[in-house]
């Protein structure tokens, strides 16, 4: 099929292309003069390929790829972040901006990154061979991913701590200790005592005090006490978390692909068990209706749309490079269009399912406490997974330990599935760079580094550091790098060329929906979100206390270092170009490398012939170029 596409244009339509003003090695491989050399090299089987084009591992089956993507995208954010984000932003009305943003941001970027990874068989950094000037985007995303992976593992350590605590005869967070004084309210109270949301400033629930005073030993102020020393028990849980990730990815996709079935499916088994239990509790109906009932006035608030974008953006894990990396292990021609639709739809379904489960439980809590204000029985925020949920489980009359084990086991599995993808992405970059290095050495080295760095998050001031790095090392820099990635793909590489690549690889014509989103709508939405973030920015705080100035300075230095990768590697790409004017250097540095395309050498030659044919067809309409205005050029770049 591909050979038919590779046929050159007939002599009547073939035109000689005008010589470019600036010579470049970027597109030179598409010129006829270089094709015999490429053909000759493909016939000599004994001649090795360049190091970065050596044979690459592949998924054991297409189902392994799909399961791995599900395990990556369906994570902690779906289960404990989405329900409360929806609650705080209009309940059922939040579904309107959420689904809208899913269609204009989530689905287009997910499909775009799958196309880039599968087409080029390159990792997060090397994929920017299509525009070397933008290679810094890959490095910025890589650094943000490293920050995210380290503190994500600390969350997994907390879930493991609660998982093992669930084996106790009495759940340890369900009752008050004498040393906590009279200000403690038992989480297992029968409703005659106030719940978390109803507590005055002088009272706290036992689940909250258990997390703060026993599990985290949390410090109240960084300025007075510093971050302190790591917790011994949490250090052991952190080591187990990294050991789990290490064993899964020790052989690359060969081992992680097999584990993906458990990582992707087990959480759904637990969720359906919890769904049945949740909906059979007294008061569950009121909780679910509270979750789904829209507050339409919220749609006029910009913060609601901002939260919808960030929820979709981080829930699907787009613009972090992991999807590109996973897709790079696919066989050329795999139907990623289908998989992108499956994963994005399933991610949304999971978010809604978790919302129904959680608010069914909260409805029961309100029923037990004799209040109709369901919003008052929950504490939102970073610790809600370890305060509100354990408190809800402690109030179960039958077998709370079983449901606690299922819940925290599910959270751990969700965390493992996401962290496996993050660490695998970093591993792939290192393996592509050091192709002769043993894979297990890279994996073990990454895990040890992640464990050592992660110790800072399990100190008494660790949650402060998580909040600081979550914004400065992940959220803010990811929004910036995402915009640059969308510009690089949609306008520098070109939406039209990406669609041609998709047609060549999948034999599927790209719809106008994706073309418009990739080139206009999605970059515009992300830019508006970034501007909104900048204009509404306030000094970062944790538990109502602003971070001391030195910590804020460190945070902005981290942001500057990561974002600075964009400019450093742009200058580096410009410097590596042949001598010439600045305009020629920039022009050459935005053109793809000569070997850009499929990994297989024969497939690459076929693609180059396909590109020549496309150029000849375009050249046949050269007479129209004299009448081309700006709007016509933009339209051609998007729709061809």
């Amino acid at each position: 099929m591909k050979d038919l596409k590779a046929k050159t244009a007939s002599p009547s339509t073939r035109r000689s292309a005008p010589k470019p003003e600036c010579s470049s090695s970027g597109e030179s491989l598409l010129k006829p003069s270089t094709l015999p050399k490429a053909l000759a090299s493909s016939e000599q089987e004994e001649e090795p390929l360049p190091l970065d084009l050596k044979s690459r591992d592949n998924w054991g089956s297409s189902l392994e790829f799909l399961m791995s993507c599900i395990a990556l995208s369906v994570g902690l954010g779906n289960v404990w972040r989405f329900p409360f984000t929806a609650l705080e932003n209009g309940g059922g009305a939040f579904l309107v901006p959420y689904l809208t943003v899913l269609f204009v941001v989530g689905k287009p970027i997910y499909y775009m990154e799958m196309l880039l990874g599968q087409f080029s068989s390159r990792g997060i950094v090397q994929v920017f061979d299509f525009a070397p000037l933008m290679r810094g985007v890959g490095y910025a995303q890589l650094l943000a991913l490293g920050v995210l992976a380290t503190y994500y593992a600390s969350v997994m350590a907390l879930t493991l701590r609660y998982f093992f605590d669930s084996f106790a005869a009495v759940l340890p967070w369900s009752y008050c200790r004498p040393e906590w004084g009279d200000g403690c309210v038992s989480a297992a109270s029968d409703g005659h005592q106030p719940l978390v949301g109803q507590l005055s400033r002088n009272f706290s629930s036992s689940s909250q005090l258990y997390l703060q005073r026993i599990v985290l030993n949390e410090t109240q102020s960084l300025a007075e006490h510093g971050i302190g020393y790591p917790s011994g028990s949490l250090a052991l849980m952190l080591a187990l978390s990294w050991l789990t990730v290490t064993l899964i990815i020790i052989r690359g996709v060969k081992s992680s692909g097999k584990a993906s079935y458990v990582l992707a499916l087990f959480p759904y088994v637990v969720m359906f068990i919890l769904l049945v239990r949740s909906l059979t509790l007294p008061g569950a109906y009121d909780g679910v209706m509270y979750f789904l009932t829209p507050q339409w006035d919220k749609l006029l608030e910009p913060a609601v749309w901002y939260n919808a974008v960030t929820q979709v953006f981080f829930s699907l894990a787009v613009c972090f490079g992991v999807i590109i990396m996973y897709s790079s292990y696919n066989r050329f021609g795999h139907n990623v269009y289908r998989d992108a639709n499956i994963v994005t739809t399933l991610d949304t379904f999971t978010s809604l399912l978790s919302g129904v489960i959680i608010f069914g439980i909260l409805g029961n809590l309100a029923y037990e406490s004799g209040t109709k204000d369901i919003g008052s029985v929950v504490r939102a925020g970073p610790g809600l997974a370890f305060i509100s949920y354990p408190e809800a489980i402690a109030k179960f009359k039958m077998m709370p330990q079983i449901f606690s084990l299922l819940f925290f086991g599910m959270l751990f599995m969700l965390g493992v599935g996401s962290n496996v993808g993050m660490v695998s992405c970093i591993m792939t970059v290192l393996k592509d760079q050091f192709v002769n290095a043993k894979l297990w050495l890279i994996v073990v080295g990454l895990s040890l580094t992640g464990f050592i760095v992660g110790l800072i998050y399990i100190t008494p001031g660790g949650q402060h550091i998580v909040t600081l790095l979550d914004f400065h090392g992940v959220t803010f820099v990811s929004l910036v790098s995402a915009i640059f990635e969308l510009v690089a793909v949609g306008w520098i590489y070109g939406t039209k060329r990406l669609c041609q690549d998709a047609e060549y690889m999948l034999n599927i014509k790209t719809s106008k929906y994706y073309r418009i989103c990739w080139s206009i709508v999605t970059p515009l939405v992300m830019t508006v979100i970034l501007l909104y973030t900048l204009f509404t920015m306030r000094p970062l705080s944790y538990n109502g206390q602003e971070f001391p100035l030195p910590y804020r300075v460190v945070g902005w230095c981290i942001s500057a270092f990561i974002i600075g990768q964009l400019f450093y590697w742009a200058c580096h790409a410009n410097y590596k170009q042949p001598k010439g004017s600045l305009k020629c250097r920039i022009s050459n540095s935005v053109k793809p490398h000569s070997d850009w395309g499929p990994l297989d050498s024969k497939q690459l030659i076929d693609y180059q012939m396909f590109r020549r044919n496309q150029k000849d067809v375009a050249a046949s309409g050269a007479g129209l170029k004299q009448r081309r205005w700006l709007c016509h050029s933009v339209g051609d770049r998007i729709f061809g």
Side-chain angles (χ1 to χ4, degrees):
M1 183 68 183
K2 297 289 190 299
D3 292 336
L4 294 176
K5 296 179 183 179
K7 290 184 179 180
T8 57
S10 62
S12 60
T13 61
R14 187 182 294 123
R15 304 283 182 93
S16 59
K19 185 177 180 180
E21 180 181 351
C22 299
S23 62
S24 169
S25 61
E27 295 280 5
S28 60
L29 200 56
L30 302 181
K31 297 179 182 179
S33 60
T34 62
L35 286 174
K37 181 179 178 181
L39 288 167
S41 64
S42 67
E43 293 172 357
Q44 300 174 359
E45 296 182 0
E46 68 277 8
E47 181 178 345
L49 290 171
L51 290 180
D52 59 333
L53 291 181
K54 282 187 175 181
S55 60
R56 189 180 185 85
D57 288 337
N58 292 108
W59 297 105
S61 66
S62 58
L63 190 58
E64 287 185 7
F65 167 70
L66 179 61
M67 290 296 173
S68 297
C69 289
I70 293 173
L72 168 71
S73 296
V74 178
L76 296 176
N78 300 83
V79 175
W80 62 268
R81 187 177 187 273
F82 174 82
F84 294 92
T85 302
L87 172 64
E88 295 172 349
N89 293 276
F94 180 72
L95 297 179
V96 175
Y98 176 75
L99 294 176
T100 302
V101 169
L102 175 71
F103 279 98
V104 300
V105 174
K107 288 173 68 70
I109 298 181
Y110 209 95
Y111 181 42
M112 179 192 78
E113 293 196 328
M114 278 189 167
L115 285 175
L116 287 172
Q118 179 172 297
F119 178 76
S120 64
S121 296
R122 288 165 167 85
I124 180 177
V125 173
Q126 287 190 336
V127 74
F128 285 92
D129 284 352
F130 70 77
L133 187 74
M134 308 299 286
R135 190 181 297 276
V137 175
Y139 283 103
Q141 292 178 348
L142 183 68
L143 291 173
L145 200 62
V147 175
L148 179 60
T150 54
Y151 82 67
Y152 211 86
S154 70
V155 178
M156 293 164 54
L158 285 176
T159 63
L160 269 185
R161 168 65 188 265
Y162 275 78
F163 178 81
F164 288 116
D165 285 346
S166 301
F167 285 99
V170 179
L171 294 178
W173 57 82
S174 64
Y175 60 91
C176 296
R177 273 67 167 175
E179 61 269 22
W180 294 348
D182 297 332
C184 175
V185 177
S186 173
S189 61
D190 58 2
H192 300 294
Q193 291 178 310
L195 293 171
V196 173
Q198 300 168 294
L199 298 179
S200 69
R201 295 180 180 179
N202 299 322
F203 289 87
S204 297
S205 71
S206 59
S207 60
Q208 178 182 353
L209 294 175
Y210 180 76
L211 173 67
Q212 294 177 343
R213 299 188 182 183
I214 294 183
V215 178
L216 298 176
N217 190 25
E218 192 172 56
T219 183
Q220 297 299 317
S221 173
L222 287 178
E224 297 179 5
H225 305 100
I227 62 172
Y229 296 97
S231 163
S233 60
L234 288 181
L236 177 61
M237 298 300 106
L238 184 65
L240 288 176
S241 300
W242 278 109
L243 179 62
T244 304
V245 173
T246 302
L247 293 177
I248 290 176
I249 65 174
I250 194 70
R251 296 177 58 231
V253 295
K254 293 180 180 178
S255 54
S256 66
K258 302 296 184 295
S260 64
Y261 293 97
V262 177
L263 297 176
L265 297 179
F266 176 76
Y268 285 100
V269 175
V270 177
M271 275 192 278
F272 278 109
I273 294 175
L274 293 177
L275 176 67
V276 173
R277 175 57 179 162
S278 170
L279 295 182
T280 55
L281 291 172
Y285 175 80
D286 293 333
V288 173
M289 292 308 298
Y290 186 87
F291 168 60
L292 296 177
T293 302
Q295 304 173 31
W296 297 111
D297 57 304
K298 289 282 188 177
L299 292 179
L300 302 178
E301 298 180 10
V304 174
W305 291 87
Y306 167 79
N307 289 321
V309 172
T310 53
Q311 174 65 33
V312 169
F313 186 77
F314 293 104
S315 174
L316 289 174
V318 293
C319 294
F320 283 102
V322 186
I323 300 167
I324 293 176
M325 179 274 300
Y326 271 167
S327 303
S328 70
Y329 293 111
N330 273 340
R331 60 175 178 79
F332 196 81
H334 174 72
N335 190 354
V336 291
Y337 176 81
R338 175 199 61 204
D339 289 351
N341 283 295
I342 291 175
V343 176
T344 53
T345 302
L346 191 60
D347 181 82
T348 304
F349 167 76
T350 307
S351 297
L352 297 177
L353 177 64
S354 63
V356 172
I357 294 172
I358 297 306
F359 280 89
I361 295 174
L362 296 179
N364 174 253
L365 293 183
Y367 173 83
E368 294 289 339
S369 63
T371 179
K372 294 184 178 180
D373 186 7
I374 296 174
S376 68
V377 302
V378 61
R379 176 185 294 273
L384 57 88
F386 305 103
I387 297 177
S388 299
Y389 294 172
E391 180 166 349
I393 294 173
K395 293 183 181 298
F396 282 6
K397 303 300 182 183
M398 295 179 58
M399 300 182 297
Q401 290 86 353
I402 298 297
F403 289 101
S404 183
L405 285 170
L406 288 174
F407 179 75
F408 288 108
M410 176 189 67
L411 286 187
F412 182 71
M413 284 292 188
L414 291 172
V416 170
S418 298
N419 216 21
V420 161
M422 299 176 201
V423 180
S424 297
C425 186
I426 303 173
M427 175 198 71
T428 299
V429 173
L430 295 177
K431 183 60 178 175
D432 288 346
Q433 187 68 30
F434 307 102
V435 292
N436 294 321
K438 298 290 186 181
L439 185 62
W440 70 269
L441 284 176
I442 296 177
V443 174
V444 171
L446 284 174
S447 297
L448 287 176
T449 303
F451 171 74
I452 294 172
V453 174
L455 291 175
I456 195 175
Y457 304 122
I458 56 175
T459 58
Q463 294 305 301
H464 296 77
I465 304 302
V466 167
T467 302
L468 182 73
L469 292 183
D470 178 60
F471 178 77
H472 287 289
V474 180
T475 305
F476 181 72
V477 297
S478 297
L479 287 176
V480 176
S481 63
I483 295 171
F484 277 85
E485 178 186 338
L486 293 168
V487 171
V489 176
W491 291 99
I492 296 179
Y493 186 64
T495 298
K496 179 174 71 172
R497 178 161 179 177
L498 179 63
C499 295
Q500 291 172 348
D501 293 347
E503 183 179 359
Y504 173 80
M505 179 172 64
L506 306 178
N507 199 25
I508 296 176
K509 287 188 176 294
T510 307
S511 65
K512 292 181 179 179
Y513 155 68
Y514 283 109
R515 293 174 182 263
I516 294 174
C517 286
W518 287 338
S519 54
I520 299 175
V521 178
T522 308
L524 183 61
V525 170
M526 298 304 296
T527 303
V528 170
I529 291 300
L530 178 61
L531 293 176
Y532 178 83
T533 303
L534 293 173
F535 284 128
T536 60
M537 188 175 296
R538 298 290 184 270
L540 200 62
S541 62
Y542 178 76
N543 280 347
Q545 295 184 0
E546 292 186 4
F547 280 87
L549 181 60
Y551 288 90
R552 281 184 281 165
V553 171
V554 170
W556 282 113
C557 287
I558 294 173
S559 296
F561 177 75
I562 297 178
I563 296 175
Q565 302 300 311
L566 303 171
F567 305 99
Y568 171 79
W569 290 102
C571 294
H572 182 269
N574 191 44
Y575 173 76
K576 287 293 185 180
Q577 295 301 319
K579 292 184 178 180
S581 65
L582 179 62
K583 179 180 178 181
C584 286
R585 284 172 174 267
I586 295 177
S587 176
N588 292 338
S589 61
V590 297
K591 294 178 181 177
H593 279 183
S594 57
D595 60 352
W596 169 254
L599 179 68
D600 181 74
S601 57
K602 294 182 180 180
Q603 192 80 62
L604 177 62
I605 295 169
D606 187 64
Y607 170 67
Q608 292 162 1
M609 298 292 287
F610 170 75
R611 287 290 301 155
R612 284 186 61 208
N613 191 30
Q614 294 289 330
K615 284 175 171 270
D616 290 340
V617 172
S620 65
L624 298 175
K625 293 184 179 180
Q626 298 177 355
R627 302 172 54 188
R628 180 171 293 181
W629 293 349
L630 176 61
C631 59
H632 190 283
S633 299
V634 172
D636 176 69
R637 198 162 184 81
I638 299 174
F639 301 109

